[in-house]
Amino acid sequence: VLVFLVLVVLLLPAVEHRVTLATAELSLPTRKDRTIPGILVIAVTIFVVATGHNALYTYIAPWVSQVGGVPLDGVSGELFAFGLAGAVGLVAAGVFGDRFPRAALPVAIGVVILAVVLLALLGPGSPIATTLLLVLWSAGFGGIPALVHARMLHTASLRVRDLGSAIITIAFNAAISLGALLGGLVLDHAGIAWIPWTLVAIVTLGL
């Protein structure tokens, strides 16, 4: 982290975050900025979607081995494929996010829901189906964080963009812990096979 901090300071251009007021323009308090409600809607959306995602993602290794039928020595390969697919999803978000700024995010969330529904139905006992659907799930989710930040930047006024970025980041990180907690509760009380349906229910709410 310290190395990257030095690289940021040395290599990235300085950004002026203060907004110059026009003649006779009043400086309103942040809470009165008209774009704050939009930022909060985006933050709640990513909080819900990421909570559902992490409910299953936290327990992906035991699900793959115990339900998906993947041998234990193949789990690392599944996780590697999952990571690569997420990178592909991020590239796709970069390609389509600017062209279709309103549609890209709902489509990506829809891909996640579809992939995990099929995973819950077709994945048990089938390593091939499990692998393919994990890849589809990761490709769908891989671009969502970037699309959410892009939507926030399109929504927020210049004076609250830094605040908006912080709110989105807090929402995403809070969702990681809450998703893990919910997934653990489902694991304890209903069994690991039900965790994908937990993701589907929560992410559908986010959509």
Side-chain angles (χ1 to χ4, degrees):
V1 172
L2 291 175
V3 170
F4 275 108
L5 174 62
V6 172
L7 293 175
V8 166
V9 172
L10 294 178
L11 300 179
L12 292 185
V15 176
E16 178 55 72
H17 67 279
R18 294 167 294 187
V19 178
T20 302
L21 298 178
T23 303
E25 183 181 3
L26 298 176
S27 179
L28 296 175
T30 299
R31 68 179 182 277
K32 293 187 177 181
D33 190 291
R34 293 183 178 180
T35 63
I36 291 292
I39 294 173
L40 295 178
V41 169
I42 297 167
V44 170
T45 300
I46 190 56
F47 175 74
V48 174
V49 170
T51 294
H53 168 80
N54 283 284
L56 177 57
Y57 177 68
T58 305
Y59 304 96
I60 185 173
W63 195 96
V64 163
S65 60
Q66 296 177 26
V67 181
V70 176
L72 286 176
D73 58 1
V75 172
S76 60
E78 297 287 311
L79 297 177
F80 182 70
F82 193 92
L84 287 180
V88 171
L90 180 58
V91 172
V95 172
F96 297 106
D98 285 336
R99 295 181 184 178
F100 309 100
R102 298 185 68 86
L105 181 57
V107 167
I109 296 173
V111 169
V112 170
I113 295 169
L114 174 64
V116 178
V117 167
L118 294 176
L119 180 67
L121 295 175
L122 306 178
S126 175
I128 295 177
T130 293
T131 301
L132 294 176
L133 293 168
L134 283 179
V135 165
L136 181 61
W137 166 25
S138 181
F141 189 82
I144 288 177
L147 291 172
V148 166
H149 276 283
R151 176 61 64 86
M152 187 280 300
L153 292 173
H154 289 154
T155 301
S157 66
L158 288 175
R159 73 181 72 203
V160 296
R161 277 186 172 179
D162 53 346
L163 175 64
S165 294
I167 291 173
I168 297 300
T169 302
I170 290 169
F172 193 90
N173 282 284
I176 293 174
S177 57
L178 180 60
L181 174 62
L182 292 178
L185 292 173
V186 173
L187 177 64
D188 287 342
H189 297 286
I192 196 168
W194 284 95
I195 301 181
W197 296 112
T198 304
L199 179 153
V200 169
I202 298 173
V203 175
T204 300
L205 179 62
L207 179 61

